[in-house]
Amino acid sequence: MRNSYYDVAQVCPNGHVASSMAETCPQHRKPFCDKCGEATITSCPKCDARIRGYYHVPGVMLGHNYDPPGFCLSCGSPFPWTERKQQAAIDLFIEETQDQEARREFKESVEQIAKDTPQAQVASLRITRLLEPIGKFTAQAIRDILVDVASEMAKKFLIP
Ligand SMILES: [Zn+2]
Ligand SMILES: [Zn+2]
């Protein structure tokens, strides 16, 4: 009997999943994303390690819920979708404030919340504070983006 194993995922740089089973179902591969048109990848652009896809367990159908990982398991680099979402949140914040210190703090915190560390909680509290003085709609837009990249722990603080 075969053991449990991870398939290979095919994902576009914006984080749209083309296939979570690119290895076992190569016929479902899509060279380009059907949501944004960008070329998809199946391996880390930095170190070429395979992107972990669907987790197969023999005899068990777990359903097909699948979220691509935020970071490469082999080299630790953020994947393109993680970087792009972080950058989008930072860009929105920069539009709202001229305060250089707040901008720097925000950028650092955004990088931290994606990681599953105790610091991520501190970072999400800091982000909540930094978002207080800025426009409600922008603050909500930033939160929506960050929830996608935040680690599970950081999420709890981000969505009160
Ligand atoms: Zn896409
Ligand atoms: Zn890598």
Side-chain angles (χ1 to χ4, degrees):
M1 191 166 115
R2 212 176 158 182
N3 292 328
S4 307
Y5 67 100
Y6 285 98
D7 214 299
V8 175
Q10 187 175 41
V11 189
C12 89
N14 292 311
H16 302 129
V17 178
S19 169
S20 61
M21 303 186 195
E23 190 175 56
T24 48
C25 307
Q27 72 276 19
H28 292 150
R29 284 184 179 227
K30 301 183 194 97
F32 294 94
C33 177
D34 61 4
K35 296 200 175 70
C36 70
E38 292 205 43
T40 56
I41 56 170
T42 52
S43 59
C44 170
K46 303 251 163 66
C47 76
D48 221 33
R50 308 161 10 134
I51 301 170
R52 253 189 195 182
Y54 184 75
Y55 188 58
H56 292 274
V57 181
V60 180
M61 276 306 290
L62 291 171
H64 286 192
N65 284 335
Y66 168 81
D67 280 323
F71 295 86
C72 174
L73 294 149
S74 295
C75 73
S77 320
F79 281 121
W81 46 92
T82 306
E83 280 180 326
R84 284 191 184 189
K85 283 172 190 166
Q86 288 175 331
Q87 194 54 51
I90 292 165
D91 289 347
L92 276 171
F93 188 76
I94 284 173
E95 291 288 319
E96 289 286 322
T97 181
Q98 299 300 317
D99 184 343
Q100 292 301 329
E101 180 61 21
R103 285 180 176 184
R104 193 189 54 78
E105 242 191 305
F106 187 80
K107 187 172 183 290
E108 274 179 20
S109 306
V110 165
E111 281 158 14
Q112 276 168 357
I113 61 157
K115 300 179 180 165
D116 218 337
T117 68
Q119 280 306 310
Q121 298 175 48
V122 181
S124 52
L125 288 176
R126 201 177 296 133
I127 287 172
T128 305
R129 173 169 58 74
L130 288 165
L131 289 180
E132 260 164 34
I134 73 165
K136 239 191 186 154
F137 291 109
T138 313
Q140 190 53 50
I142 290 173
R143 250 187 229 113
D144 289 346
I145 296 170
L146 289 181
V147 161
D148 264 2
V149 291
S151 69
E152 286 307 315
M153 273 205 288
K155 248 180 231 176
K156 286 186 200 136
F157 288 88
L158 214 53
I159 330 167

